[in-house]
Amino acid sequence: MSFTSLLPWRRSALALALALLAAPAPTVLAQSAQRLPALGDSASDDVDILQERRLGDNIMRDLRKDPDYLEDLLLQEYLDDLLGPLLAAARERDAIDADLARRFAWEGFLVRDRAVNAFALPGGYLGVYLGLIAITATRDELASVLAHELTHVTQRHIARSIGQNSRQSMATMAGMLLGVLAAAKSRSPDGLQAVIVGSQAIAAQGQLNFSRDMEREADRIGLDLMGAAGFGLGGMSAMFEKLDAASRLNDAGLYPYLRSHPLTSERITEARLRAEGLTRGPAAGQARHALMQARARALSDPGEASLRRVQAAGALGSPAADLARQAQLYGAALASSRLRDFTLADQQAAAGLSLVADSQPDAPVLRRLWRLLRLEILLARASGDAPSADLAARLHQASDALGTDASRAALLLRAQTAQTLARLGEPGADTGLRASTEALQAWVVEHRRDAPAWDALAASAQPLGQQVRALGALAEARWARGDVTGAVDRFRAAQQAARGTGAQGYQDAAIIESRLREAEAERRRLWIEQHGERVPDPG
């Protein structure tokens, strides 16, 4: 059986797993409380903050292995930029206290799928499907979903429902949920059916449904966070209207969000009343959202037929010059690059960039996104093309065009450019590699959980002969993705490489040894948590 024929089954299993994870059970909320009531109840007694974070970490450790877990520089940057102001507003309103702020992950991540869905996980993780980004017309609509899901976390709806409705241990809960994911990845209908029909899974599915009270609270507090974060409140009512229209149709399984977060007439009416009288003029950040919406459409389905449709929508020769046309060209250029039609991708990207007018208020934002895309296209081309002076020159030019852009996306694309120029044998490439390595090192000091940045650091350090730094970075990348055993193995390899390399090697060895001890302690803790016994001696 082909992978394509198996894909719908695997995706439906993943959707089921995420639905189970994202939907806690009924409870009665204090109607007037702006924050979570004092947790002298079962939420604090049975599921404390540390337990909830560990449950979320366990789930994420498995989710990161799934092929549909997506690490995309620009969509992740956009998601983070929307989530950041909402988190800041939640802290200002004490919806996130100091303890919760310190112990939870507060991390958004992407799922590559055209289904319309988003979900909250224990411990501060928020998942967003590309299909959701693709159907939102404005950043306010997308922010309304993020604010709603964030409120499920800040109000600890998951912990409260587990504590009140389930006396099983956190390990049992995590094992049951991860069992669904494991069956999904095995692509075994029999294995998945065994998990679904088991009495534990049926009980959990019955328990893990957000109550109407929780949904109303997430709407109400989410709207308050949206306003405080600078988003238009009309985004929530507009999103509800869009979802309500979809619920009246046969959604062909593309709207799982409606099943885990069912709309009611009361919720829709309240959102509309709150937005009443608000001006629905041009939405802030519309230019960036339009291009990120197009990016999500191009990446949501990697199949050739889907990419061809996106590519065709941006066919050259159209007289249109508005933002919608730019979005079409952006998605088409990305799709053409994925199809390895780099000549057409270049032409579409050049056409899109030429449409950016100086008079547009968002012209700098648009030009930046086009320049980043053009560099992406060149890097994709270089991954398969034979070395050429013309390609190297164009990479230099595209990288220089980013100017003073100090964003994470620019940092990682510059690093990839330096690595590519070194691979192509470009004279003086070592200078760029060294600059990239130092910039990445400074970044990961402040962002220790940034696995792609650690990967980039390893790839930059390796050709410079910095073996210890490269192995240490690979270990950190494994750890950031939850693979502690893999991290221990690479730290040990780095420890071996550091011996006998002089004074610098001694300093590197001390750092590696310290991190190795921490990784081994974490590995022991995880083993005991999962097996109830000491981790076996690796020797």
Side-chain angles (χ1 to χ4, degrees):
M1 188 177 292
S2 69
F3 175 78
T4 304
S5 63
L6 285 165
L7 190 59
W9 177 265
R10 189 184 61 74
R11 282 185 172 168
S12 65
L14 178 59
L16 170 61
L18 296 180
L20 287 172
L21 297 173
T27 188
V28 178
L29 302 179
Q31 296 297 316
S32 60
Q34 180 68 12
R35 292 186 60 218
L36 181 68
L39 291 178
D41 53 21
S42 54
S44 58
D45 294 339
D46 291 274
V47 186
D48 64 25
I49 291 174
L50 184 57
Q51 286 177 313
E52 187 178 349
R53 172 63 188 273
R54 285 179 178 172
L55 176 58
D57 287 347
N58 287 341
I59 295 166
M60 285 302 301
R61 191 174 297 114
D62 207 72
L63 278 176
R64 289 189 183 102
K65 300 173 187 175
D66 193 278
D68 283 341
Y69 178 86
L70 179 65
E71 293 177 340
D72 181 78
L73 290 180
L74 291 176
L75 284 173
Q76 187 66 52
E77 176 185 80
Y78 188 46
L79 178 61
D80 291 344
D81 286 351
L82 294 179
L83 190 56
L86 294 170
L87 287 168
R91 292 188 185 101
E92 289 173 4
R93 279 156 173 68
D94 290 331
I96 301 176
D97 62 24
D99 195 32
L100 208 60
R102 183 175 66 257
R103 294 187 180 277
F104 273 17
W106 306 115
E107 177 184 313
F109 64 94
L110 300 162
V111 180
R112 186 197 349 248
D113 199 297
R114 63 193 183 97
V116 177
N117 203 9
F119 52 92
L121 294 179
Y125 295 100
L126 302 178
V128 178
Y129 278 55
L130 297 195
L132 177 72
I133 301 174
I135 71 154
T136 53
T138 68
R139 69 168 195 153
D140 296 332
E141 290 182 11
L142 181 54
S144 75
V145 178
L146 296 177
H148 182 99
E149 296 305 319
L150 179 61
T151 301
H152 282 314
V153 178
T154 63
Q155 300 304 101
R156 298 196 64 209
H157 288 164
I158 299 173
R160 294 165 70 185
S161 54
I162 291 175
Q164 291 179 12
N165 297 287
S166 173
R167 299 304 174 191
Q168 58 191 319
S169 70
M170 297 294 286
T172 301
M173 176 65 72
M176 183 274 295
L177 295 173
L178 293 177
V180 178
L181 287 169
K185 275 191 285 293
S186 73
R187 301 175 187 167
S188 166
D190 292 338
L192 179 64
Q193 187 67 14
V195 174
I196 294 173
V197 301
S199 59
Q200 251 187 343
I202 291 175
Q205 190 170 11
Q207 291 164 358
L208 298 178
N209 287 309
F210 282 133
S211 71
R212 291 187 177 185
D213 288 326
M214 286 181 174
E215 291 293 346
R216 283 194 295 268
E217 183 174 57
D219 291 345
R220 177 173 54 80
I221 297 178
L223 272 168
D224 178 65
L225 294 181
M226 283 182 67
F231 297 106
L233 299 188
M236 184 170 284
S237 59
M239 193 67 196
F240 279 177
E241 289 164 6
K242 188 170 293 184
L243 292 171
D244 186 39
S247 69
R248 300 174 189 277
L249 304 172
N250 178 9
D251 68 23
L254 287 179
Y255 287 79
Y257 193 75
L258 290 172
R259 293 189 284 279
S260 59
H261 297 74
L263 289 174
T264 63
S265 58
E266 180 184 358
R267 289 180 66 203
I268 295 170
T269 300
E270 185 173 352
R272 286 172 178 163
L273 288 173
R274 286 175 178 266
E276 199 171 83
L278 294 176
T279 302
R280 289 198 184 185
Q286 184 58 17
R288 185 184 184 190
H289 183 83
L291 266 59
M292 291 301 96
Q293 181 188 36
R295 188 177 184 91
R297 285 175 178 157
L299 296 179
S300 62
D301 186 345
E304 182 177 351
S306 177
L307 289 172
R308 293 287 181 197
R309 285 193 295 271
V310 177
Q311 183 187 53
L316 298 172
S318 169
D322 56 8
L323 183 59
R325 176 59 180 163
Q326 284 198 49
Q328 286 180 333
L329 285 166
Y330 186 94
L334 183 56
S336 295
S337 178
R338 291 298 171 113
L339 292 165
R340 304 198 68 78
D341 189 346
F342 297 116
T343 299
L344 180 56
D346 282 339
Q347 293 171 346
Q348 289 167 326
L353 182 58
S354 71
L355 293 180
V356 181
D358 291 335
S359 58
Q360 288 181 260
D362 291 327
V365 173
L366 289 169
R367 287 198 179 97
R368 171 183 179 264
L369 292 175
W370 281 114
R371 287 166 180 159
L372 289 168
L373 178 61
R374 296 189 81 177
L375 182 53
E376 279 188 277
I377 292 169
L378 284 171
L379 289 168
R381 171 173 244 162
S383 68
D385 280 12
S388 73
D390 176 65
L391 183 56
R394 293 181 66 192
L395 280 168
H396 274 299
Q397 184 181 23
S399 181
D400 291 344
L402 299 183
T404 59
D405 188 343
S407 66
R408 174 180 180 267
L411 172 72
L412 295 187
L413 286 175
R414 284 194 187 102
Q416 193 177 345
T417 301
Q419 295 155 20
T420 301
L421 290 172
R423 181 178 58 80
L424 294 176
E426 181 70 2
D430 281 4
T431 302
L433 273 178
R434 288 192 181 91
S436 172
T437 300
E438 295 310 313
L440 287 164
Q441 185 67 59
W443 174 268
V444 295
V445 167
E446 300 295 328
H447 305 85
R448 297 203 69 89
R449 288 166 51 195
D450 191 341
W454 284 113
D455 285 334
L457 177 58
S460 293
Q462 183 68 41
L464 292 173
Q466 299 177 5
Q467 184 75 357
V468 176
R469 178 179 277 183
L471 287 169
L474 288 174
E476 296 286 1
R478 287 297 186 102
W479 199 348
R481 291 188 174 99
D483 180 6
V484 184
T485 298
V488 168
D489 291 342
R490 280 152 187 80
F491 277 133
R492 285 176 177 160
Q495 189 180 48
Q496 287 291 113
R499 291 173 180 165
T501 54
Q504 181 60 45
Y506 179 80
Q507 183 180 21
D508 289 341
I511 295 171
I512 293 296
E513 185 176 352
S514 173
R515 293 297 286 161
L516 174 58
R517 284 197 301 268
E518 293 175 28
E520 287 177 329
E522 176 68 5
R523 180 169 170 263
R524 284 193 296 271
R525 184 192 66 77
L526 290 172
W527 182 275
I528 292 169
E529 186 177 282
Q530 295 168 12
H531 300 278
E533 56 189 32
R534 288 186 59 188
V535 60
D537 187 340

